[in-house]
Amino acid sequence: MELKDYARAIRNHDWSACMSDSYAVTRRADARKEELADLAKKGKAYARLWDLGRALEGNFMWSAPSERWPEDKRHEDGWRWVGAYLWAHGIVLTEKEAKLLVNPMGMLDKYGRHLTGYPKWDVIDLLVKVHEAK
């Protein structure tokens, strides 16, 4: 699996499957998660993608910042994952540019849920599409 495909697989993994009432869904997701973790052993770049993607995507609940996952850590996890994701697609960003592609600290959605550090996937996907069209 190419690095960009691996990054997409991490992003699109069903991280919330552990909440399913269906044992079959949970079992399939656990098996896939194990496959993705094994692929991280292919090299440093794969391992780094796994660590960064899992740090952000694995915390899928997006509840209020807590002692375990404070707002500044959540923000950093987000922009680092975005930077690595785009790097895997051949797009190199500065730290400042990567930070612009995640929601800023203090960002809430219309329901009052904290979105700090959540990637702006619509913009990110557009960047990848434009880059791949070159």
Side-chain angles (χ1 to χ4, degrees):
M1 177 180 292
E2 287 186 40
L3 205 55
K4 67 180 179 179
D5 298 322
Y6 183 59
R8 278 192 197 118
I10 293 168
R11 173 185 166 190
N12 294 321
H13 175 66
D14 185 1
W15 292 97
S16 64
C18 60
M19 306 291 281
S20 176
D21 291 336
S22 169
Y23 177 67
V25 168
T26 304
R27 192 179 70 238
R28 276 192 307 272
D30 285 346
R32 180 62 175 154
K33 188 175 172 182
E34 194 171 310
E35 288 172 19
L36 293 171
D38 284 343
L39 282 168
K41 298 172 187 169
K42 282 183 77 168
K44 285 184 180 183
Y46 284 82
R48 186 69 174 146
L49 279 173
W50 175 249
D51 290 343
L52 292 171
R54 184 181 49 157
L56 187 77
E57 303 294 351
N59 288 310
F60 59 86
M61 295 295 283
W62 287 90
S63 56
S66 65
E67 195 173 298
R68 185 177 145 260
W69 204 30
E71 194 170 30
D72 59 339
K73 168 107 172 77
R74 173 188 266 189
H75 188 255
E76 183 174 345
D77 286 349
W79 69 258
R80 287 190 183 277
W81 168 228
V82 165
Y85 181 86
L86 288 170
W87 176 82
H89 286 84
I91 303 168
V92 179
L93 302 176
T94 65
E95 181 178 316
K96 187 176 181 178
E97 291 168 331
K99 286 179 179 180
L100 292 172
L101 294 172
V102 298
N103 288 312
M105 288 200 275
M107 180 76 160
L108 303 174
D109 70 4
K110 64 182 180 182
Y111 304 107
R113 294 179 293 205
H114 291 265
L115 296 178
T116 296
Y118 189 78
K120 298 176 182 177
W121 288 117
D122 54 342
V123 177
I124 295 163
D125 290 340
L126 184 58
L127 285 172
V128 170
K129 187 176 181 178
V130 168
H131 178 75
E132 290 177 345
K134 290 180 180 179

